[in-house]
Amino acid sequence: MNTSSFLHRFALLGAALLVSSLLPAAHAQTGGILPLVSVGEKWPQDVESYVIKVSAQDAGKPIGLEIYSPTFNLADYVDGRRGAGYFGDELYKKNEPFDTVFTLSGPNGTVIERKYNMNREHTWESLYAGGLPAGTYTLKVNSNGDGKNSFALRTAAPFVLETSDFTVNARDTEQNALLAARIRVTPEWVGQTVGILNYDMDGPREAESWVVQPGGQRIDLTTSDNGKTATDSFKITPEMVGEWQVFIRVLPTTRQYSNAIRYSFRLGDKPTTAVVGGFTPPENIKLQNQLLVDIVDPQGRPIPGATYGLVGDSSVRPILPPGWIPVSSSIVEGKGNILSPTEVRYVPGYNKLRFVARPTAGQLTVDAVALYGNQRIPLSGVPFQVDSKTLTTPTTLALPPGQYPVQPVPIAGSIFQPPQPGIVTDNATGRVTIEYRVLTEVTLVTMPDLLNACDVTQLIATAKTDFTYKLPARLKLNLPSGWSSDYPLELNGEFSAGQPLRLKTPVRVCRTDTAEALLDPVGLQTTGTARVRAPGGANVSRNVQGGARASLRKDIQPLERGYLVTLTLTVDSTLENVRITDVLPVGGSTPAIRGTVGVKDGPSLANLSLRPEGDSIVLSRVIPGTYVIAYELFTDQPADRVLTAPDLAW
């Protein structure tokens, strides 16, 4: 498969940079490009592996991961000869396939995987030019086939490629010193041992390798033999702290066009990484088939954590982090078709695409009401907390979709239940209403509460609350029968904490009873009682021939629903058929009714035989002594009209 058909699969995420800005200086590469190499068979390291670390502050910056000569160039080494621009690609079995797979993966899985086959040129390719979320990413290179594929890697600043074990390809066309790696020795390493290992350098006639320590001191490394490993150990002293540079040079006495050599770095007995890669492209070569992809918000700012993927060979789709909604897509440079806000099809070549997305966002409205009777009174200025913010009602705030608990602030004179969390969905407004149930009370005082019949008392009805907001109210007095007033019995107004609502009304009270105070709209009620002193009694006495004497006294006592009538009869002789005349009062809304008549006390009840007859009470036979006769009188007449004069006969 032609290499260029793969070059369009993945590219830049984030803001595109000019190609020139992605080219770091050739660091100490006095002899030009030092290729890395992936050997297909018969090599101790089957997969070459490199690490790219993306810090939180560098997340989203273009990593500019580029490759020189990722394909296997069939013209590089043909019929035992090296071609022009020889880079080290060698196929040991003719007419057999060879391919190399480059896979970049990270915390969220594979970022990009590209397979390069054979061609007849060395190209400069963009593997992944975009930004990445913070994390550690691994680039693995794996070749399949009997041969080796030489290539070079680089990244844009501030990113670097690190590895502890890797393979380079030294060529006899470059008999100058080439930088293989840079080791950063830190103060924490003092007292520990650093090991530098090389494998299969094929002896001292082929190449030489050395390390340059801080201060410019050169220390030659042991040259490994064919299929062997050589190790050099260094006990770290404070003078060694800093950057070490590892170089290699092919000697004029070499017998090979190229030599694959494996380096390893150890701190104690554990792998430690060094920085590798970095190259300057040869002159007169252009970056081929680069795809730059911007994924930005509506203000043009790169979206952290956004990336992209391919559909087939020529369609790009953005991969958005949670909480983002696609808005649009466009082709900034290049050719292709816009299929939707989430897909663009492009023609291979130099392309720059842009996807715009917006954060999902909705709104949450929070208000408060006072539950007062059957009314819901809006409350303003009530503080509450949501999303770690303190606000006051009513308010509407923009929030990402999700559930948001709302924490009310207590208000004196009320109670509340914590409301259900507010639910925010994209492009919609959720609502939370904080409900405060108001606590009120009503009292009723009579001053005075003990008075003579039909005297005037003052009723004071008061509505109270500790609630700080004003509440509308109506106070109403309900008077029983026998109570009357020429003043208003209702009052409309407002009350709140420290400002009660009072209704003061003079009332004429002619009987013991209870008045009621009612607070609307809550329907709260209470009562107040006034007692009327018992009115004076009525007396009658009779003397008859023969010396018999009798006297009768009538007393009344107000009750809740009427009066208690007491008749006290005193005789000094035995009398037959004594008749007590006790006329009931007249008037009122309903006729007066006499309750059951009974004898409460007396010297003998054996032959008394009490029986009511109309307005009279007849006693068959009484013996000397005092008798108390009582009954309840049901009437709505005032006390001064209830007391009628009795009469006595026998």
Side-chain angles (χ1 to χ4, degrees), residues 354-527:
R354 176 171 292 139
F355 293 93
V356 178
R358 64 169 177 84
T360 54
Q363 292 182 319
L364 181 64
T365 295
V366 181
D367 57 12
V369 297
L371 301 183
Y372 176 61
N374 58 359
Q375 298 182 20
R376 297 173 64 88
I377 302 173
L379 302 177
S380 60
V382 178
F384 65 93
Q385 290 184 343
V386 64
D387 194 34
S388 301
K389 301 180 183 70
T390 299
L391 306 168
T392 57
T393 61
T395 190
T396 299
L397 66 160
L399 290 169
Q403 287 194 352
Y404 294 89
V406 174
Q407 179 59 51
V409 172
I411 299 177
S414 67
I415 57 174
F416 68 86
Q417 291 291 333
Q420 293 295 318
I423 298 176
V424 177
T425 57
D426 183 49
N427 207 27
T429 300
R431 176 177 290 274
V432 171
T433 298
I434 306 171
E435 297 181 336
Y436 292 91
R437 188 169 297 279
V438 179
L439 303 177
T440 58
E441 63 175 308
V442 61
T443 60
L444 179 59
V445 177
T446 57
M447 296 179 62
D449 61 350
L450 179 63
L451 59 161
N452 294 323
C454 297
D455 281 352
V456 174
T457 187
Q458 182 169 252
L459 299 185
I460 305 173
T462 306
K464 300 178 182 178
T465 185
D466 291 328
F467 200 61
T468 55
Y469 294 81
K470 290 184 177 181
L471 302 171
R474 181 180 67 169
L475 271 177
K476 181 180 179 182
L477 290 173
N478 293 324
L479 303 181
S481 59
W483 294 32
S484 62
S485 178
D486 296 330
Y487 292 85
L489 299 179
E490 292 186 8
L491 174 64
N492 293 312
E494 294 180 331
F495 69 111
S496 61
Q499 294 183 343
L501 181 65
R502 286 191 177 91
L503 171 60
K504 298 181 179 180
T505 302
V507 176
R508 182 178 300 276
V509 177
C510 293
R511 56 180 292 181
T512 298
D513 212 330
T514 300
E516 179 186 67
L518 181 66
L519 175 62
D520 284 332
V522 293
L524 196 63
Q525 61 183 15
T526 189
T527 58

Side-chain angles (χ1 to χ4, degrees), residues 22-206:
L22 296 177
L23 304 182
H27 184 85
Q29 292 187 21
T30 56
I33 300 169
L34 172 65
L36 303 168
V37 67
S38 173
V39 182
E41 296 180 6
K42 302 174 184 178
W43 192 249
Q45 188 157 314
D46 182 51
V47 178
E48 301 291 322
S49 182
Y50 314 93
V51 170
I52 302 173
K53 296 177 181 177
V54 179
S55 65
Q57 66 183 19
D58 294 330
K61 293 181 179 179
I63 67 169
L65 179 57
E66 296 173 351
I67 317 171
Y68 177 77
S69 188
T71 56
F72 187 92
N73 187 351
L74 291 170
D76 208 27
Y77 184 80
V78 182
D79 297 329
R81 297 183 181 181
R82 58 189 178 196
Y86 175 70
F87 201 61
D89 293 350
E90 295 184 358
L91 186 63
Y92 303 132
K93 292 181 181 179
K94 294 182 179 181
N95 302 321
E96 288 195 5
F98 190 97
D99 64 67
T100 303
V101 178
F102 290 77
T103 304
L104 179 65
S105 59
N108 297 321
T110 299
V111 176
I112 183 174
E113 184 170 276
R114 293 279 303 278
K115 181 178 180 181
Y116 295 91
N117 291 342
M118 298 177 174
N119 70 352
R120 291 187 174 273
E121 60 180 335
H122 296 299
T123 60
W124 172 27
E125 310 282 352
S126 171
L127 181 63
Y128 191 88
L132 291 170
T136 299
Y137 295 82
T138 302
L139 175 65
K140 293 186 176 181
V141 184
N142 186 25
S143 292
N144 300 287
D146 192 1
K148 61 183 180 180
N149 183 11
S150 296
F151 56 90
L153 294 171
R154 72 172 183 173
T155 54
F159 306 107
V160 295
L161 292 155
E162 298 179 88
T163 185
S164 61
D165 301 82
F166 67 106
T167 307
V168 297
N169 198 33
R171 298 157 298 157
D172 70 347
T173 54
E174 299 288 349
Q175 295 181 5
N176 296 313
L178 297 177
L179 181 66
R182 290 176 286 139
I183 307 172
R184 183 172 178 266
V185 176
T186 67
E188 290 77 14
W189 292 14
V190 173
Q192 302 188 62
T193 300
V194 169
I196 300 178
L197 295 73
N198 67 83
Y199 169 78
D200 200 34
M201 200 175 289
D202 293 339
R205 292 180 56 86
E206 292 296 322

